[in-house]
Amino acid sequence: MLCRAVAVELEVTKGLSKLLYSVESVYLGIVREVAAYAVEHNVTSAIQLRGLFYSKYRGEYPGLHSHLVIQAIRQASEIAKSFMERRRKGLAQKPYPEVRNVSIRFDETAWNYEQFIKSIAPVRIKLSLPNGQTEVWLRLHKRFWRYWWLVLNKEAGLRKTLIVKRRANKWYAVFVFEIKPKEGIPQSVVSFDINENTVAVGRIDIETTVDKVADWNRQYLTPQLYSIRTDFGRLARRYEKIRNTIIERLKQSFTLPNGKYANVTNTREFRKRVKRLRERVRKVGRVRYVANELTKTPAIIVTEELGDNPQESMIEDVGKDELRHRIKQTPFKALEKTVEGKALERGSKLFHVSSYRNSKVCPIHFVRLERTDDWHTLKCPLGHYVDRDYASVINMDWKLTPESWTKAFWWNMKQEMDWREYEQKSNPIIPYEIVQYIHAVLKTFVARLERCPAMLAQGDPMTRHRIQNEGGGEETSHALLGQGGGQ
Ligand SMILES: [Zn+2]
């Protein structure tokens, strides 16, 4: 089941705001107290904690809906559990979980769920607050209506628990929709690889390529290789510059008596100005754009297994500080998560392959590639150039095929691995016919490239703009596949 949380601002009068604040502070107090107790006494079961605390708080706060008390205790139990888990892993430094803010959970008895769900166009909710049932109007927006439409069509459900949350001085109701993943017949196999400024894509369209593959002289090269510009690195660099300018300007007004500067980045002024830059918003926008692009049609989406910290492993062999910073700014995980969510929503499936040597091996000759003085271009010992991104996405596709097990460059994998066993155990997502099809496509692709390997390079590295490491990229037009290929 796929979940989508949609926050809708509440129309709040002064009186109602006061009321909500008071509920929030009581609720927060309960969560804090119970969580601290749970950790100290090693009692994390919600039921046990309820037995210990319920009547106490009911007595203390008779105006608070009984189910809010129960929800607060439950929330405390969850917080305690995750805190203890973190502590076990050595990630928590403090003796108690620090609960700074809470979202108030109204279960179906504490708001008018039954009535709401029956409505065709709900515009307000009723919350059980200390002064009784209180009607609150919603500032509904397009996103909400989109999901509500799914509810009306029985393609989604609304979770019974409503979350009420404050951000700054505004109150929001968070509706959680549970969407049934679509079952789509895959129309293509799309592999992608995330880089600093681009996302490299290899696309095999299943229906339309059948005859194209047979016809060697056609303009098509399958998989189609292209890339989507994201400019995450460039974005990060630009904002870095703007931030530095702000710091310089603010420094003047934050000079200490001894002539030194206070740490400007801790000031309210700085935070206010940085917020206005909307860096995160723009990044999120680009992430969504890429996810949309990759999941347009139901597809089998193939990507590398990212570690917990993909940025770290990527910068291992990167020297410059500035570049390290930019790679850290590349939202690998966010992009992957968004693609995964969108994929499920639209009937695509995500398949992970190992990241082992994807961009280190020639996808035609299966020998180790050598570096050139251009980070993007690698050289095959058999005498041709290969674009790093292309190598990566084609090798990912190779890893879907039975042949991958016998290729020497994946020698760390068990060579005696039985394909049938593999098919059953680790590849339930991709039907065998499609695997065979991919295999055929790749073999044809390679046969064609063997005659004209230059198509795998993105131009002549001798004349291309040379920049060490990923610093370059500005001039890499991935649309260009050399003569005969692309488009
Ligand atoms: Zn080669």
Side-chain angles (χ1 to χ4, degrees):
M1 198 53 86
L2 253 160
C3 291
R4 288 282 180 277
V6 176
V8 177
E9 201 190 332
L10 301 176
E11 298 257 5
V12 175
T13 59
K14 250 193 179 151
L16 179 59
S17 176
K18 246 186 181 165
L19 207 57
L20 287 169
Y21 268 108
S22 77
V23 171
E24 185 193 39
S25 97
V26 170
Y27 195 96
L28 179 63
I30 297 177
V31 174
R32 272 189 185 147
E33 216 171 287
V34 177
Y37 177 94
V39 168
E40 195 184 334
H41 296 90
N42 201 9
V43 188
T44 53
S45 142
I47 294 165
Q48 264 178 296
L49 290 168
R50 197 168 134 184
L52 287 166
F53 287 99
Y54 179 72
S55 35
K56 173 181 182 266
Y57 293 126
R58 279 297 278 159
E60 271 175 49
Y61 312 109
L64 199 64
H65 192 285
S66 62
H67 281 268
L68 289 188
V69 177
I70 294 169
Q71 291 296 331
I73 295 173
R74 191 178 290 169
Q75 218 166 324
S77 139
E78 285 161 20
I79 289 169
K81 274 180 196 156
S82 81
F83 176 79
M84 281 159 86
E85 181 62 37
R86 280 169 59 82
R87 196 165 63 180
R88 203 169 21 245
K89 288 184 186 157
L91 294 165
Q93 265 93 44
K94 301 196 171 90
Y96 297 109
E98 216 172 275
V99 189
R100 279 203 205 91
N101 38 46
V102 284
S103 40
I104 311 165
R105 295 184 198 165
F106 288 79
D107 76 355
E108 78 264 36
T109 59
W111 73 291
N112 61 332
Y113 171 78
E114 289 302 332
Q115 203 186 340
F116 193 85
I117 196 78
K118 277 184 208 137
S119 166
I120 287 172
V123 286
R124 61 195 165 218
I125 49 173
K126 269 186 214 147
L127 300 173
S128 288
L129 295 172
N131 65 345
Q133 288 255 315
T134 310
E135 197 173 72
V136 188
W137 288 77
L138 300 165
R139 292 197 172 146
L140 293 162
H141 46 66
K142 218 161 92 187
R143 200 167 128 81
F144 175 88
W145 290 121
R146 225 177 60 215
Y147 288 111
W148 193 252
W149 177 248
L150 294 179
V151 170
L152 294 175
N153 281 314
K154 309 256 185 281
E155 284 172 55
L158 177 65
R159 205 175 273 175
K160 288 178 178 173
T161 304
L162 179 76
I163 298 161
V164 173
K165 208 174 177 172
R166 179 174 59 86
R167 174 122 345 138
N169 282 323
K170 285 179 179 162
W171 290 90
Y172 297 88
V174 181
F175 296 91
V176 179
F177 294 98
E178 288 170 340
I179 304 161
K180 293 180 192 127
K182 271 204 183 126
E183 274 295 325
I185 300 156
Q187 291 173 14
S188 38
V189 178
V190 178
S191 36
F192 76 94
D193 187 28
I194 308 162
N195 294 307
E196 194 203 340
N197 285 314
T198 58
V199 173
V201 185
R203 181 186 283 271
I204 303 173
D205 290 324
I206 293 167
E207 282 170 58
T208 54
T209 36
V210 180
D211 26 271
K212 282 175 202 156
V213 173
D215 184 2
W216 287 36
N217 294 321
R218 292 280 282 270
Q219 289 290 299
Y220 289 96
L221 193 65
T222 307
Q224 294 167 52
L225 303 169
Y226 61 96
S227 81
I228 304 169
R229 257 178 97 137
T230 54
D231 283 342
F232 289 125
R234 241 161 270 143
L235 196 71
R237 216 174 342 171
R238 194 164 72 222
Y239 278 114
E240 178 77 36
K241 234 189 239 161
I242 302 174
R243 267 196 300 272
N244 286 339
T245 317
I246 296 174
I247 291 172
E248 282 310 312
R249 266 191 221 142
L250 283 177
K251 261 185 180 174
Q252 266 86 59
S253 37
F254 286 93
T255 317
L256 298 172
N258 61 7
K260 287 192 178 145
Y261 303 117
N263 187 355
V264 177
T265 51
N266 283 335
T267 64
R268 221 186 124 131
E269 238 65 27
F270 178 76
R271 281 199 300 267
K272 216 165 80 189
R273 289 191 195 189
V274 168
K275 211 160 130 193
R276 245 181 253 148
L277 295 176
R278 294 161 44 90
E279 179 177 8
R280 220 186 75 86
V281 177
R282 301 186 74 169
K283 215 147 108 172
V284 169
R286 289 178 193 196
V287 165
R288 291 216 181 112
Y289 173 80
V290 175
N292 268 326
E293 189 62 32
L294 293 173
T295 56
K296 265 193 296 199
T297 51
I300 290 162
I301 298 173
V302 183
T303 193
E304 280 185 354
E305 190 76 65
L306 297 173
D308 285 335
N309 214 340
Q311 283 90 340
E312 289 305 322
S313 54
M314 227 188 126
I315 58 179
E316 258 167 30
D317 56 358
V318 171
K320 274 186 295 176
D321 269 2
E322 192 211 1
L323 178 63
R324 296 174 86 101
H325 170 74
R326 265 155 41 210
I327 290 177
K328 280 195 173 188
Q329 298 297 311
T330 310
F332 295 93
K333 278 274 177 190
L335 192 59
E336 210 204 3
K337 260 183 90 179
T338 314
V339 170
E340 195 160 2
K342 273 264 172 310
L344 281 168
E345 202 177 315
R346 294 179 176 173
S348 296
K349 283 166 181 168
L350 204 67
F351 189 76
H352 287 101
V353 295
S354 120
S355 61
Y356 189 69
R357 296 203 160 150
N358 284 336
S359 55
K360 293 200 172 82
V361 173
C362 172
I364 311 171
H365 303 106
F366 300 102
V367 287
R368 195 168 184 143
L369 294 166
E370 293 154 8
R371 289 180 178 215
T372 65
D373 50 9
D374 179 344
W375 191 88
H376 286 279
T377 307
L378 300 164
K379 190 173 191 274
C380 174
L382 276 93
H384 64 96
Y385 292 97
V386 179
D387 186 87
R388 188 183 277 261
D389 292 348
Y390 293 169
S392 179
V393 289
I394 299 166
N395 282 331
M396 280 187 217
D397 285 343
W398 269 120
K399 285 185 179 176
L400 302 175
T401 69
E403 203 168 334
S404 70
W405 303 107
T406 58
K407 293 295 177 202
F409 61 94
W410 287 301
W411 60 72
N412 69 329
M413 292 180 186
K414 276 192 181 160
Q415 290 205 9
E416 66 271 21
M417 187 87 149
D418 179 16
W419 166 247
R420 276 185 190 288
E421 186 189 332
Y422 167 74
E423 181 198 340
Q424 282 158 11
K425 282 191 185 154
S426 37
N427 198 347
I429 290 178
I430 309 180
Y432 192 59
E433 308 81 72
I434 292 184
V435 169
Q436 283 176 311
Y437 178 67
I438 295 169
H439 197 179
V441 166
L442 288 176
K443 280 199 280 193
T444 316
F445 178 74
V446 161
R448 191 170 164 197
L449 284 178
E450 267 169 348
R451 301 189 310 183
C452 184
M455 281 194 279
L456 261 190
Q458 292 210 7
D460 183 1
M462 305 311 284
T463 54
R464 231 169 80 191
H465 195 118
R466 273 179 218 165
I467 298 168
Q468 282 289 323
N469 294 330
E470 255 278 46
E474 276 87 350
E475 280 71 36
T476 36
S477 147
H478 285 241
L480 251 172
L481 258 167
Q483 332 88 311
Q487 317 316 322

